[in-house]
Amino acid sequence: MVVNFVVCVQKDNLGDVSGDDIHVGRLYEVVEMSAGHGMMRIIDESGDDYLYPEQCFEPVFLQEAAALRLSQVLPHN
C-alpha cells in the first residue's frame, strides 16, 4: 500500500475553493494525486477528503513504514 503526502505551500488564488481547512506548512494525506482539471483530493483539517488546486502543494517523500504510521494518526472521518 502506497500512501502519498503533500505539504501545503500556498493558499492564494483558490478560486471557488475555501482555504479554511488547509494551512501553509502542514502535511496532508493524498487520496487522489491527479483528480483532473489541476486538482488533487486530500484529507484536509476537517478529516474529510476534498479537491484542492495542485499548485498549493508539494509532494513529501517518506519511507513506506513512516508513511503508514503517519496515515494511522492523521484525522480521518
Side-chain angles (χ1 to χ4, degrees):
M1 174 183 178
V2 175
V3 180
N4 294 310
F5 293 93
V6 290
V7 64
C8 180
V9 293
Q10 63 102 9
K11 290 176 44 168
D12 302 329
N13 303 320
L14 293 177
D16 294 337
V17 177
S18 169
D20 293 344
D21 288 323
I22 59 171
H23 302 285
V24 173
R26 296 236 180 124
L27 189 70
Y28 297 97
E29 186 173 345
V30 177
V31 174
E32 187 176 4
M33 192 60 105
S34 185
H37 303 287
M39 304 291 274
M40 71 170 40
R41 185 172 296 278
I42 66 162
I43 299 173
D44 66 15
E45 298 291 330
S46 73
D48 289 323
D49 59 284
Y50 291 99
L51 291 171
Y52 289 95
E54 292 174 352
Q55 81 262 8
C56 294
F57 303 93
E58 288 294 330
V60 173
F61 300 99
L62 300 171
Q63 292 182 356
E64 186 174 354
L68 289 173
R69 287 184 67 193
L70 188 56
S71 176
Q72 293 169 353
V73 299
L74 287 175
H76 296 90
N77 283 343

